[in-house]
Each structure stands twice: as structure tokens, then as C-alpha cells.
Amino acid sequence: MTLTRTLDFLNPERILRLDGLGRPSSLQKMAKEPDTEELLARAKTGDERAGVEAIARQRERLKRLLKHHIEPRLKARVDPSDVIQESMIVASQRLGEFFQQKNLPFYVWLRTLTLERLVDLRRAHVKAKRRSVAREERGVLSLPDESVAELASRLVDVTGDPRIGLMRDELRDRVRQAIQRLPPDDREVLVLRHLEQLSVAETAAALGTKETTVKVRALRALKKLRELLEEQ
């Protein structure tokens, strides 16, 4: 099988179908244990311990978030575990703000707080010029090389087709290069869906858009990725 032929397995519709677009991943199922909503309901009535436990249940997802987004220069100066702990403390102090939000997934709210903390640390340690939080967050979401490589691997591996065989590593490298050439908006939706493994609903909340728009953007991004691969 030629490497060009393997592009057939990067068909956008195929990836979205195999990825189960709209169906929570195993990571999301783990983060949404049956009693999390109950804990939040109790916290809303004033049970502080329940609120702390609900936040603690998201620790592993927050660890993965930082693993994907913390840049090497910053990681050399701060401990990711401290970033998570500080973010969780802030979350417990500001939990009332979450309860005032409508239809906002709990993890997305925690994710935003953690990224805000990452922005603050980036300003302090990497000495970035002070800009809006939105622009700073885009800077934070500029993936380290290792995370780009992991995203490429996931996009290739999601097909699970054994016929790719020994060409898998070469294909991953080509996908990695193509990802780096994608427009920021296209790259962002692929990062949220395929690297961070947010559900469609969570991705929509993180982007401030509708679930149908997320599906359209994801399909557009995958089509653009395939076009870039075909140009190589």
C-alpha cells in the first residue's frame, strides 16, 4: 500500500464516525461519575465539602489539560501539580459563580479557571506582554511539539486500520506537519475534540458556540487537514 493510498483512511467523515462525535469518550465518562451532579447540588445548598469533592473529581482531566498545554519554558519554572492545586482552591472559592451560569458544563468552567492561572504564570515567568486574556489564552493553546505529535497520532490511530501498517509513523509525521499549517480556528477545534477529548457539548461551551457549529467546524478542519496532506 502506498502512503498516498493511506490518505483514504483519513477521510473526515470516517474519523468523525469512528471517534463517535457526540458520544462521550471513556475519559469523559470517568470524569462524569454518577454522583458528581449530586455533589454539585449539595454544594449549591451550602455543603462546602461536597463542592470540594466535586472539584477534586476533575483533577485527572486537569492534569491532562496541563500536560497538553504547558510550554517547556514554563514547565521548567513551575510545578504543574501546584498549578492544579491553586486552580482548585480558586474554584472552591468561586463556586458560587459557577452556579450562576446557565448550561455551562462543570469541567469547562474548571478548565477556564486553570487556563487563566496558566496565563498569569506565563505572564510572570515568560514575561509576555500584557494583552487580553482571550489573546493570552490563544498563546497558551499554542501546542508544544510533543502535544502536536500526540494529536497527530490520535488522528491516525482513530482509524484503527491495520493496512496502514509500517507506514503509520511516516503518516503521523505528515499529519503533524499538516496540523502546524492549519489556521488557528481549525487547529483549535481538533485540539479540543481529539487531544483534550472534550465532548461536543463541552467543546461548544468552551468555544462559546452551538453544538451544530462544532460539528461543522470539526468536519471543515479535517477536510482542510486532508487537503494539506494531499499537497505534500
Side-chain angles (χ1 to χ4, degrees), residues 33-95:
E33 295 182 2
D35 58 347
T36 299
E37 293 302 320
E38 179 184 346
L39 288 170
L40 289 173
R42 285 162 47 191
K44 192 172 183 179
T45 64
D47 187 337
E48 294 184 5
R49 181 176 296 182
V52 170
E53 185 174 348
I55 293 169
R57 289 179 184 274
Q58 308 300 319
R59 182 186 293 272
E60 291 304 315
R61 292 190 79 184
L62 295 177
K63 282 184 180 179
R64 285 187 288 272
L65 174 70
L66 287 187
K67 173 180 176 289
H68 295 319
H69 292 298
I70 190 167
E71 59 184 288
R73 288 182 301 171
L74 185 55
K75 188 176 182 180
R77 301 182 183 186
V78 301
D79 187 337
S81 296
D82 290 341
V83 179
I84 293 171
Q85 187 62 32
E86 292 166 5
S87 300
M88 292 172 64
I89 291 173
V90 170
S92 66
Q93 295 170 340
R94 296 172 54 181
L95 196 55

Side-chain angles (χ1 to χ4, degrees), residues 104-194:
L104 179 64
F106 186 52
Y107 172 72
V108 174
W109 179 72
L110 291 174
R111 176 184 181 276
T112 299
L113 292 181
T114 304
L115 289 180
E116 287 176 352
R117 180 57 183 154
L118 204 54
V119 165
D120 291 340
L121 290 169
R122 188 169 182 263
R123 288 171 177 167
H125 293 279
V126 186
K127 298 182 179 179
K129 293 181 179 179
R130 191 171 185 83
R131 300 174 292 179
S132 70
V133 171
R135 291 184 64 194
E136 286 282 9
E137 284 185 1
R138 178 58 62 85
V140 166
L141 291 175
S142 297
L143 295 181
D145 291 342
E146 296 85 352
S147 297
V148 175
E150 183 175 348
L151 175 57
S153 293
R154 291 191 180 186
L155 289 172
V156 172
D157 292 345
V158 73
T159 64
D161 197 302
R163 287 176 290 176
I164 295 179
L166 297 176
M167 296 179 184
R168 189 178 300 275
D169 287 343
E170 186 176 352
L171 182 56
R172 285 172 180 162
D173 187 59
R174 289 183 63 183
V175 173
R176 178 185 58 78
Q177 295 177 46
I179 289 171
Q180 292 175 322
R181 295 172 57 198
L182 282 172
D185 287 348
D186 289 339
R187 186 166 57 247
E188 183 176 35
V189 73
L190 293 184
V191 166
L192 293 174
R193 287 290 293 129
H194 294 277

